[in-house]
Amino acid sequence: MKHLLVLALLSAALFLGAAEKNLLPAKFAIYGKKSDNCETIVQKNGQVDCFIKSKDVKDKNMTGYVYSVRFAKAVTGTLTFGAESKGEKVVGRVDGNYCVYLDLTYADGTRLYGQIVSFKNGTNDWNKVTKTIKLAKPVKALSYYVLFRNVEGKASFRNAFLYNK
């Protein structure tokens, strides 16, 4: 019986050790012009908690945050990305505006823009969005945006992630 318990614990430890590593760097930048619209941006343990409000869809001030990712060796396979958001009275076209947005740079220098996974309009509790894309070519770098622009309302973000398989 003890042997089965030890075997089960070892199997669990190996499984947990194989968990995917979040490829987002600890450092991020504000995307857009900082203004009163960004109430807080807090970074802890490589994660960003951000609260953004917008009163006017034409307000082009604070629109989100961005991670710049450069891979030591170009990655192939798939990229899975996403984040969590909580929205309050979000109104407007969310596609490309209230979303996680990737721009890829391939190893050959060509680019692919606008890989998007959007959050929902309205008032929502924490909502996780995720998307997996199959890479057509090896990727050497990417820009990872968490956006809240051209919409009205408030949004909080947490737990942004990027995985490669």
Side-chain angles (χ1 to χ4, degrees):
M1 187 66 157
K2 286 183 183 179
H3 295 294
L4 289 175
L5 180 59
V6 169
L7 185 59
L9 289 172
L10 283 174
S11 297
L14 289 173
F15 176 75
L16 292 173
E20 295 173 307
K21 181 182 179 227
N22 192 344
L23 300 175
L24 292 177
K27 193 172 186 180
F28 67 95
I30 302 298
Y31 178 72
K33 187 171 143 186
K34 194 169 183 179
S35 73
D36 296 348
N37 282 352
C38 183
E39 300 230 338
T40 59
I41 289 187
V42 178
Q43 186 170 7
K44 54 188 173 189
N45 301 325
Q47 288 295 319
V48 177
D49 291 328
C50 182
F51 174 76
I52 302 171
K53 63 181 178 179
S54 178
K55 296 177 185 165
D56 183 350
V57 295
K58 294 179 181 151
D59 183 358
K60 302 293 186 203
N61 288 322
M62 176 61 195
T63 56
Y65 57 95
V66 59
Y67 293 96
S68 294
V69 180
R70 184 171 273 304
F71 300 107
K73 181 182 173 193
V75 298
T76 58
T78 62
L79 288 175
T80 300
F81 64 98
E84 294 178 19
S85 181
K86 178 164 60 169
E88 184 180 326
K89 298 179 183 175
V90 177
V91 178
R93 185 170 170 246
V94 295
D95 290 344
N97 292 308
Y98 179 29
C99 65
V100 179
Y101 186 111
L102 264 60
D103 288 335
L104 308 177
T105 302
Y106 292 114
D108 66 7
T110 60
R111 296 176 185 256
L112 176 64
Y113 297 106
Q115 299 303 297
I116 299 168
V117 60
S118 296
F119 296 102
K120 297 176 185 175
N121 271 339
T123 298
N124 301 293
D125 201 358
W126 289 107
N127 177 29
K128 181 179 179 180
V129 296
T130 185
K131 182 174 183 177
T132 299
I133 55 173
K134 184 170 179 5
L135 300 175
K137 302 185 252 186
V139 172
K140 72 175 179 182
L142 61 84
S143 295
Y144 180 112
Y145 301 89
V146 177
L147 299 176
F148 190 71
R149 61 182 182 182
N150 304 322
V151 292
E152 293 180 31
K154 297 179 184 178
S156 298
F157 300 94
R158 69 181 185 192
N159 298 329
F161 61 89
L162 173 68
Y163 304 118
N164 173 235
K165 281 191 178 185

